[in-house]
Amino acid sequence: MQYVFIAIVIGYLIYQLTEIGWQRVWESLPVTPWFYVLFLFLYFALPVSEQFIYGTSLNFSFKKGLPVFIQKKIYNADVLGYSGEAYFFIWAKKNLKESSGYIFGVIKDNNIISSVTSTLVAAVLLSIFLYVSQLNLQQIIEVNREYFYYGAIAVVLILASLIYFRHYIITMSSGMASKIFGIHLARLLFVYSVEIIQWMVVMPEVPLYIWFTYMGIKIISTRIPFLPSRDLLFIGASLEISQFLNISGAGIAGILLASNVLTKLMNLGLYSFLAFKGSLIKKEETDSTQKATS
């Protein structure tokens, strides 16, 4: 079923891009180098933030951890959700001194805090995008204010419950949990801000509220649970609403497709490099062990 959904989304994207014109999309690919510089900041934001989180709670160096968190990101993005956590758990058991139970608890607590933070940030930003700025997104998806209020109440109740029962849900100390919450909050605000700036440097003529509208659409699409290929869904939705916002569909396609293709290429290149490097290290360790025993 997952592959059927992905095939439908890809087919619809091909149809949309054909309607726009492949030549126009190709000509609209970003040429400013700042787009690609900002892409690197966006790509490495998650692995670097996770190094600060896990490096503090499990005590290992940046040099040792960053390659692991890059691979963790790739597993979660291109293999299966939470397969990256399984990979990191296996790596930590082999390379760190902490017990399996402690490592599992840290991973579990971090994922809970990450989910709470992302939900809170999404709710707050959507409320700003939809109501404070009075954006076109409200007309596009016909948002009912009552649903927003119900959603806000639900978020508040969930957060209040998590705070009240935190000692039963989260095993780490309140100080450590607060620090991890702060790191996730800073990362999310950084990523959303840099991504909007990345779009702006490619199409500076587009008003800022339009980019807020696209970020609102992205937040909505990425919060839909159990949905495969949410990045492709976001591209499809963005192309669909470009006609309502009176901006170039080719330009939007160029930006979003470039980001998507760059991410896939980075994943492939870094995973291949790290896997090859890991195999060389293992070979050297095996050779040194054989020499020592001979």
Side-chain angles (χ1 to χ4, degrees):
M1 188 63 185
Q2 174 181 345
Y3 296 110
V4 173
F5 177 82
I6 293 173
I8 292 173
V9 173
I10 291 175
Y12 184 59
L13 281 178
I14 292 173
Y15 167 76
Q16 287 180 308
L17 294 172
T18 303
E19 286 289 301
I20 293 172
W22 288 97
Q23 182 65 30
R24 287 183 61 198
V25 173
W26 175 258
E27 292 172 353
S28 299
L29 290 174
V31 294
T32 172
W34 286 111
F35 175 87
Y36 302 97
V37 172
L38 293 171
F39 168 81
L40 293 176
F41 282 99
L42 292 171
Y43 186 89
F44 288 104
L46 180 59
V48 170
S49 67
E50 289 196 316
Q51 169 59 38
F52 283 111
I53 291 169
Y54 288 112
T56 301
S57 47
L58 295 175
N59 191 26
F60 54 88
S61 67
F62 190 89
K63 181 180 179 181
K64 186 176 184 179
L66 186 61
V68 176
F69 294 117
I70 291 173
Q71 292 180 84
K72 177 178 179 292
K73 169 188 171 79
I74 294 170
Y75 277 118
N76 281 335
D78 290 339
V79 180
L80 186 67
Y82 294 105
S83 60
E85 275 69 23
Y87 161 76
F88 176 67
F89 177 74
I90 294 170
W91 176 88
K93 279 178 59 180
K94 291 181 179 179
N95 294 274
L96 304 179
K97 296 179 180 179
E98 283 80 3
S99 66
S100 299
Y102 179 75
I103 295 170
F104 178 81
V106 170
I107 295 174
K108 182 260 297 179
D109 290 348
N110 175 60
N111 277 275
I112 292 173
I113 296 170
S114 175
S115 297
V116 170
T117 310
S118 59
T119 300
L120 177 62
V121 170
V124 172
L125 289 181
L126 277 177
S127 66
I128 294 173
F129 293 163
L130 290 173
Y131 298 103
V132 175
S133 300
Q134 297 181 347
L135 300 181
N136 290 348
L137 183 60
Q138 197 169 351
Q139 288 93 36
I140 294 169
I141 62 175
E142 297 181 357
V143 177
N144 190 320
R145 285 180 180 270
E146 290 185 3
Y147 294 141
F148 167 76
Y149 295 136
Y150 294 148
I153 292 171
V155 169
V156 171
L157 289 175
I158 291 171
L159 290 175
S161 301
L162 287 171
I163 292 171
Y164 185 79
F165 295 107
R166 65 186 182 279
H167 297 300
Y168 302 97
I169 300 172
I170 298 175
T171 55
M172 65 176 53
S173 66
S174 298
M176 180 62 72
S178 299
K179 184 177 181 179
I180 291 176
F181 174 83
I183 294 173
H184 281 300
L185 179 62
R187 174 181 62 83
L188 288 169
L189 295 178
F190 172 80
V191 167
Y192 289 143
S193 301
V194 171
E195 194 157 15
I196 289 175
I197 294 172
Q198 187 190 40
W199 299 340
M200 290 175 62
V201 298
V202 179
M203 299 176 68
E205 72 280 2
V206 176
L208 182 59
Y209 78 89
I210 296 290
W211 297 130
F212 283 168
T213 302
Y214 275 103
M215 185 55 68
I217 291 290
K218 182 167 187 176
I219 290 173
I220 291 172
S221 63
T222 56
R223 298 310 300 169
I224 301 174
F226 310 113
L227 189 64
S229 297
R230 285 176 287 189
D231 53 346
L232 295 180
L233 181 67
F234 169 59
I235 295 174
S238 299
L239 295 179
E240 189 68 32
I241 68 171
S242 62
Q243 56 185 320
F244 294 99
L245 300 176
N246 295 318
I247 61 173
S248 168
I252 295 297
I255 291 173
L256 300 183
L257 286 175
S259 294
N260 191 266
V261 171
L262 281 173
T263 299
K264 300 298 183 186
L265 290 175
M266 285 286 288
N267 287 349
L268 176 62
L270 285 173
Y271 185 83
S272 301
F273 170 76
L274 293 172
F276 178 71
K277 183 180 177 182
S279 65
L280 288 180
I281 292 173
K282 287 182 180 179
K283 186 177 183 302
E284 290 175 359
E285 291 175 347
T286 302
D287 292 342
S288 62
T289 303
Q290 289 176 350
K291 288 179 180 179
T293 55
S294 61

